[in-house]
Amino acid sequence: MSELSVDARRALLIALIRAMRRAESRTGETHIQKCVYFLNHLMGVSTGHPFVLYKHGPYSFELHDELTAMRIRLLLELVPRAPYGPSFVLGLFAERLHQRFSRTISANMAALEFVAKRLAPSDIGDLERLATALYVKTRNPDAKPDQLAKILVNLKPHIPPPLATAAVEEINSLQLSPAVGQG
């Protein structure tokens, strides 16, 4: 995919958040961060946000800033959602941007829906494990699953080895899914 404009990337984020909400996902920043990571690194749909390994798995400071910019432009709003903290909802001008980039969104809809339906409803702990497993795998593509699980545990000692192994196995199964990479 060629480099997308800022507005096209924002339209993809709006479409992802819309799909996440349809899937009854929490649309707090952590969920959005992990879903955008999966969209980029599992589905091959680049939003142009670089990620680093941080407290709860892959995190993009640039995406954090982008979500803030989108709030300023009334593309997104934050609403309280007890007991989990605020969630992002579509803002006053979101639909206009969504319509303007409908072709870009349509071209990536399978990837957006896959992430929203398959990953977005997960809880934070599952998302952290899965996103970190994908992070480890993309940086160690030739490593065997047991090696990847050990690397994951070394990076995130609070993740028990059986859960690290399960996360690596799930990432491997997701990468074999026919929907993956159809962006």
Side-chain angles (χ1 to χ4, degrees):
M1 173 186 281
S2 63
E3 184 78 19
L4 295 174
S5 70
V6 171
D7 282 345
R9 292 193 311 260
R10 288 177 178 164
L12 283 175
L13 291 174
I14 288 167
L16 176 63
I17 291 167
R18 177 180 279 169
M20 290 171 68
R21 293 190 67 75
R22 279 194 308 268
E24 299 183 7
S25 166
R26 294 181 205 132
T27 52
E29 184 174 347
T30 302
H31 270 77
I32 293 170
Q33 285 273 349
K34 300 308 174 258
C35 287
V36 171
Y37 184 76
F38 290 124
L39 192 63
N40 284 230
H41 296 281
L42 182 66
M43 306 305 293
V45 178
S46 178
T47 61
H49 302 102
F51 283 80
V52 296
L53 192 60
Y54 199 54
K55 294 177 186 177
H56 300 288
Y59 184 85
S60 173
F61 291 93
E62 288 82 354
L63 176 56
H64 170 81
D65 293 345
E66 185 65 37
L67 293 170
T68 300
M70 290 175 73
R71 286 180 58 215
I72 291 167
R73 287 168 178 78
L74 302 178
L75 297 169
L76 296 174
E77 294 178 27
L78 269 179
V79 295
R81 188 167 176 192
Y84 304 109
S87 292
F88 284 89
V89 297
L90 302 185
L92 185 62
F93 298 122
E95 187 59 34
R96 184 180 305 164
L97 192 65
H98 190 273
Q99 289 175 356
R100 192 169 134 213
F101 290 94
S102 61
R103 279 192 229 155
T104 301
I105 292 166
S106 293
N108 294 288
M109 189 52 75
L112 294 164
E113 290 291 334
F114 182 86
V115 169
K117 289 177 182 172
R118 178 60 187 85
L119 297 160
S122 301
D123 69 27
I124 295 294
D126 289 341
L127 286 175
E128 176 187 8
R129 286 187 294 276
L130 291 172
T132 305
L134 181 58
Y135 182 91
V136 167
K137 185 169 182 166
T138 59
R139 281 153 181 78
N140 302 279
D142 297 327
K144 292 182 171 38
D146 61 325
Q147 295 169 315
L148 294 172
K150 286 179 186 174
I151 295 168
L152 196 158
V153 170
N154 284 335
L155 291 171
K156 300 287 183 179
H158 65 278
I159 298 177
L163 291 180
T165 299
V168 168
E169 289 171 357
E170 188 164 351
I171 287 300
N172 285 338
S173 72
L174 288 173
Q175 289 184 313
L176 296 174
S177 172
V180 174
Q182 294 180 2

